Amino acid sequence: YKEINKYYCMHLAALGFTVFSINYTLAPKANYKQQVRECFDAFRWIAENGEKYPCDMNNVFLTGDSAGGHLAALCCEIFGRSDLPTVFNVQLPSFHIRAVGFTCGAFSMPVLLSKINVPLARTYARFILGPDMRDPQRKYHADAVHLLEGAKMPPVYLSSSKQDFIGFETKKFCKRMDELQIPYKLRFWDKGKDHVLEHVFNILQPSYSESIITNTEMTDFFKSNII
């Protein structure tokens, strides 16, 4: 829920961005398709109400971390593939995503399900997929790595670390973008010197030197894509 990232959003706002933080119904009460639909409901609300705020609707950026990284990736792919709005039953807003930032994203449900040695990742994937998790079509449409095929993606910035328990997901996503020749920028940290660069460390601990570098790099990446 949106209050979790309150201070991170305040940090982004302090860097000069108008920030909207999106709530969605949590799993297992909602599956990933309902969560995506709720994101697009929020997008349309922003498109209709943005003029009430200091918004430049020609320069809209999207960022998500962990489960939010998964949803952000699916949303970008829905924008970028003509078949997916129907699959997810969403209506596109009037704006486009100018650039996107994925932080420690949980991109591939099949990969997470296969990680016997990472129980939390497996449990998350089971919650997201719900009772039909063995349905190949359901797993395919929940897999942001597979949905990259044929998607016109906005400029992508990704960050994670070796100490992120699902850092392999970011590497898997990047490998697929390499195969599809989709350009991106990656910041993948090694171990921290005085602290652990845990899952979504730059959001939980924004004062870490590595966090400052990561967050500044991502927002500079956004600014470099302003038109």
Side-chain angles (χ1 to χ4, degrees), residues 38-97:
E38 291 177 4
C39 288
F40 274 88
D41 287 343
F43 293 160
R44 290 197 305 278
W45 184 92
I46 292 168
E48 293 166 3
N49 293 275
E51 63 182 15
K52 300 175 185 177
Y53 300 86
C55 292
D56 178 358
M57 301 308 297
N58 290 316
N59 290 295
V60 176
F61 308 100
L62 178 65
T63 182
D65 58 276
S66 194
H70 174 232
L71 293 177
L74 292 179
C75 288
C76 286
E77 290 160 345
I78 291 168
F79 270 99
R81 274 182 49 168
S82 60
D83 59 321
L84 292 183
T86 300
V87 169
F88 283 84
N89 191 25
V90 300
Q91 180 182 346
L92 300 183
S94 57
F95 61 76
H96 296 281
I97 302 299

Side-chain angles (χ1 to χ4, degrees), residues 170-211:
T170 294
K171 289 192 171 181
K172 182 81 173 178
F173 198 82
C174 290
K175 180 181 178 182
R176 187 57 179 150
M177 286 196 292
D178 285 333
E179 293 169 351
L180 296 171
Q181 298 184 325
I182 299 173
Y184 62 90
K185 183 172 184 177
L186 171 66
R187 168 66 69 171
F188 198 90
W189 291 94
D190 205 336
K191 294 181 179 180
K193 293 181 180 179
D194 304 315
H195 40 249
V196 176
L197 300 181
E198 61 189 344
H199 186 59
V200 299
F201 68 90
N202 56 305
I203 291 166
L204 298 176
Q205 302 292 344
S207 63
Y208 287 173
S209 60
E210 296 91 344
S211 300

